[in-house]
Amino acid sequence: MLQFQSMVATGSAALDSGIGDTALKTFNGDTYLYTVTGPAGGVTVWRLVEGAIPQLVDTEYYTGTITFVVGRSGVPVTLGGQDQLVLDVNTSTGLVGYDLNSDGSIGDLQETGTLAGGGDVSALVQMSLGSTDLLAIAHEGTGQIGTYFVNGDGTLSLAGLAVGEADSMQAVQSGAGQFVVSADAATNAISVFQVDAGTGMLAAIDNTSAIETLGIAVPTAVEVVEAYGQSWIVVAGSASNSLSVMKLSDTGNLIPTDHVLDTLDTRFESVQDLSLIEVDGRVFVVAGGGDDGITLFTLTPNGQLVHLESFADTLGSGLQNIQSLSVAHVGDELQILVTSQQDAGVNLLTTSVSELGAVSEGFGTVNGTALNDMLSGSILQTSLLGGAGDDILIAGAGATTMTGGAGADIFVMQSGSDPTTITDFEVGVDRLDLFDYLLLRTPSQLTFTVTAQGAEIEYRDELIQIYSASGGPLSSSDVFGTGFGGPDHIPVDFAGFEGLESNGSPGIQGEISVNSETTNPGLTDAEIKFTPNGGGTVSVTADDEGRFDLDMPSGSFSGELDIVKSYSTASKEINALDALQVLRLSVGLDPTWGPASPENLIAADITQDGTINALDALAILQVAVGKPSAHNAEWVFMDADADLSGITRNNVDYETGVDIVVVDGVVSADMTSILLGNLEAF
């Protein structure tokens, strides 16, 4: 539970008011908070103490030539074995910063030699390339991001310059690759750069299609974390009042996994800053902005944000229009340090992490502990047993039975899951999280049926059976109170959603290889679906290179692979000549190139009614000229070894998909790809 502890201040307006940045640094096991103000201000150092308010360690007022030309940012780096707090000094030619001593106190002011882009720094991040350190520096005046090798004596050598602007920047590793992720509010840009391990130079990776679908406006902060075997990016959008979660692949591609909007129940409208922290295998996300408060989330292993709590400003706190925040793990608590654009000083809020339990995913029976566990179902039938503690139980794709046990439990549903059963819902204690359900906003959208021992909830094809812990019936208000609470989750993938189609794109007619470890040119924007025998369907959308990852658990799973892909009219693969060929087939003639193959007959039956007739020719002609048609062109995928010998003009009977065995998450299959409506020689 979030608790406000105190506000701390030095008593000096120059140091307490207008704090623009906060930074954390650990020395000898102690964590120190550095706060930075702007011109005519200075730097303050606080030591964080478990169960107590921060202790003032040191202050430093700006003097000399930097007094009135310094910005409000401070980033800790290590140069030649010396820790420094780097400042943004807009008239400098090199990197300017204060030495940091091993007791957290502030030492001498230093400046490196001249940098290629100057010392006007809008963002800075340090990373390690084997035995060498590298700095990525966004030079505000030049519109470039420079990378610099850190020499043994603390000097910097230019590696290269890349076009880009950033006011927030982080480094992260994914697989064997090292990446820099940046955000810039002024240009509304979110960028990913791959770092060349040899030269230190940056190469931009195009993630336009992934980012544009999220609708992020004015990105004010980007944070990264490596957890659950993946690398994650979280972006704060001030004008969109949003937080966006994306998984970073080992090739630098961003895969959106969640996008949440502020509501009356949360406190991140006009979000200004966010912070991520991993504690004992659990990831926490804190965000705040112009909403006079903060919101605390946890990140699930599949990249979704679960709302834990929001804290609103009080008469005793100073959380009006939050400027910056930092989160530290101190002993058995998270300490959240928050500064305001209006209130002076630093706010301290805490929440206990002393009882974090297991983070487990599986099938069959998944057991929790007596602590606060996070348990996830899988693609097969699963029973999640939370035990004691405040648990988070997450439905899998297969049928899932959830037993929270004692404590305040959160039951998280997943869109597209098989039926889910909750065995012991406690009114006023437990919470049901349905935000993964597409376009669900209020309980009034649900079909809620009271039963003798609880309730049954239906939404579209989703079904939840809830049994009351007390054994009696449950009303909608028992389960949801006055509403859902929490943020709004916006879908990041509409594949398979009735009435909506994924983006059409060109494909490859004929035999193709499907492999989850490579690019797949014929699968661009396709929906990849795998249904294990006796389990629920796992579905993902391939990117613009046809790459996909079903994120399957380890082990071998037999089942069926299906692929859904819509037709791109821009490809012009279907034309009036195709309609003519089908018309010839409908009256018993061969196509103009000779006898029709079974694949030709499948392509001709665009209506998929099992016969080839004039209605197919008409539908194809409508597609070719861009007229509305009751039968849309689409790609069908089947086993490359399927027996098609029985297909005739009056018996177009075939099955899509292929039976495969997925081993340790790797999908590999040979399939035949056919565009309905496109007649060409096979």
Side-chain angles (χ1 to χ4, degrees), residues 280-303:
D280 295 338
R282 188 79 59 86
V283 177
F284 296 94
V285 180
V286 184
D291 214 6
D292 299 349
I294 64 169
T295 296
L296 174 66
F297 299 91
T298 190
L299 184 70
T300 70
N302 62 357

Side-chain angles (χ1 to χ4, degrees), residues 35-367:
T35 65
V36 180
T37 56
V43 180
T44 305
V45 188
W46 304 89
R47 184 169 66 90
L48 305 184
V49 182
E50 182 182 6
I53 65 173
Q55 305 297 304
L56 182 62
V57 173
D58 198 6
T59 60
E60 183 73 28
Y61 292 91
Y62 303 135
T63 58
T65 57
I66 74 168
T67 303
F68 298 105
V69 293
V70 66
R72 298 195 301 157
S73 67
V75 181
V77 300
T78 302
L79 303 178
Q82 175 61 55
D83 293 298
Q84 287 189 8
L85 184 71
V86 173
L87 306 174
D88 173 23
V89 179
N90 58 30
T91 58
S92 68
T93 58
L95 207 60
V96 177
Y98 286 108
D99 285 342
L100 301 179
N101 301 318
S102 60
D103 61 357
S105 62
I106 301 171
D108 296 333
L109 188 68
Q110 305 287 349
E111 182 173 6
T112 66
T114 299
L115 299 178
D120 191 1
V121 177
S122 59
L124 166 70
V125 68
Q126 186 169 18
M127 70 202 81
S128 177
L129 295 179
S131 60
T132 306
D133 277 358
L134 190 75
L135 291 183
I137 302 174
H139 297 291
E140 191 165 9
T142 66
Q144 294 177 311
I145 298 175
T147 48
Y148 299 83
F149 286 109
V150 180
N151 302 315
D153 60 358
T155 60
L156 302 177
S157 298
L158 177 67
L161 295 168
V163 175
E165 297 180 80
D167 48 30
S168 181
M169 192 158 56
Q170 302 292 338
V172 64
Q173 185 160 343
S174 182
Q178 184 79 38
F179 301 91
V180 171
V181 184
S182 68
D184 186 69
T187 59
N188 210 49
I190 300 165
S191 304
V192 177
F193 300 90
Q194 185 158 18
V195 184
D196 187 291
T199 66
M201 297 182 66
L202 301 181
I205 297 173
D206 185 9
N207 277 289
T208 304
S209 59
I211 294 169
E212 284 182 343
T213 62
L214 297 176
I216 303 171
V218 189
T220 47
V222 60
E223 294 288 341
V224 301
V225 67
E226 296 174 39
Y228 312 131
Q230 305 285 348
S231 296
W232 304 95
I233 315 297
V234 183
V235 178
S238 177
S240 50
N241 306 315
S242 64
L243 300 174
S244 303
V245 184
M246 291 168 276
K247 183 166 58 176
L248 181 69
S249 75
D250 56 7
T251 59
N253 296 112
L254 293 174
I255 305 165
T257 59
D258 204 0
H259 182 74
V260 300
L261 303 181
D262 177 68
T263 67
L264 294 176
D265 298 299
T266 55
R267 292 280 170 169
F268 60 94
E269 181 183 0
S270 303
V271 56
Q272 183 67 29
D273 201 7
L274 67 93
S275 185
L276 275 64
I277 189 169
E278 187 268 336
V279 180
D280 295 338
R282 188 79 59 86
V283 177
F284 296 94
V285 180
V286 184
D291 214 6
D292 299 349
I294 64 169
T295 296
L296 174 66
F297 299 91
T298 190
L299 184 70
T300 70
N302 62 357
Q304 290 179 303
L305 293 172
V306 175
H307 176 240
L308 297 179
E309 191 176 357
S310 290
F311 184 92
D313 194 19
T314 66
L315 292 176
S317 60
L319 301 176
Q320 296 186 75
N321 295 333
I322 288 170
Q323 174 63 34
S324 68
L325 54 84
S326 294
V327 180
H329 180 203
V330 183
D332 285 336
E333 61 188 16
L334 288 186
Q335 293 195 358
I336 304 170
L337 296 309
V338 188
T339 69
S340 163
Q341 297 177 25
Q342 293 180 258
D343 301 306
V346 179
N347 294 267
L348 170 65
L349 296 93
T350 62
T351 188
S352 174
V353 289
S354 63
E355 296 186 354
L356 293 182
V359 178
S360 299
E361 180 179 6
F363 52 89
T365 299
V366 180
N367 290 297

